Amino acid sequence: MPIKILIIAAFIAIVISLGSALFHIVKHKDDEDSKKAAKALTVRIGVSLGVFILLFIAFATGLIQPHGIGLRMHGSPAASAANPPKP
């Protein structure tokens, strides 16, 4: 459960960073606003990369499990029983 809370917090941080960049782009009075927008977008990229790595590690270590489409892709016995092959 803590991993899911961490992922949700990271997604909220991404949205806040995008909002900050949008504010500085729209305001755009001087060069300082451009630098702030670039920094906000850099933070967003860093957080997004961190979330991707965190999800990859969590899946590889078994902290999170696939469900739905991801479960069917890995050919789990439960998914196969629920969706038998069609003749």
Side-chain angles (χ1 to χ4, degrees):
M1 189 65 162
I3 192 84
K4 292 179 184 179
I5 293 170
L6 186 62
I7 291 169
I8 291 170
F11 281 130
I12 291 170
I14 289 169
V15 171
I16 290 171
S17 178
L18 280 172
S20 174
L22 177 65
F23 174 76
H24 291 297
I25 288 172
V26 170
K27 186 177 168 187
H28 197 60
K29 302 274 187 213
D30 56 4
D31 243 7
E32 187 65 28
D33 290 324
S34 295
K35 290 179 184 178
K36 289 179 181 177
K39 184 173 181 169
L41 292 173
T42 303
V43 168
R44 184 201 60 88
I45 291 170
V47 172
S48 298
L49 185 60
V51 167
F52 179 76
I53 293 170
L54 179 67
L55 286 172
F56 182 76
I57 292 171
F59 178 71
T61 59
L63 291 174
I64 57 175
Q65 297 295 322
H67 61 280
I69 293 173
L71 187 63
R72 283 182 254 145
M73 285 175 27
H74 292 284
S76 112
S80 298
N83 300 322
K86 296 179 181 168

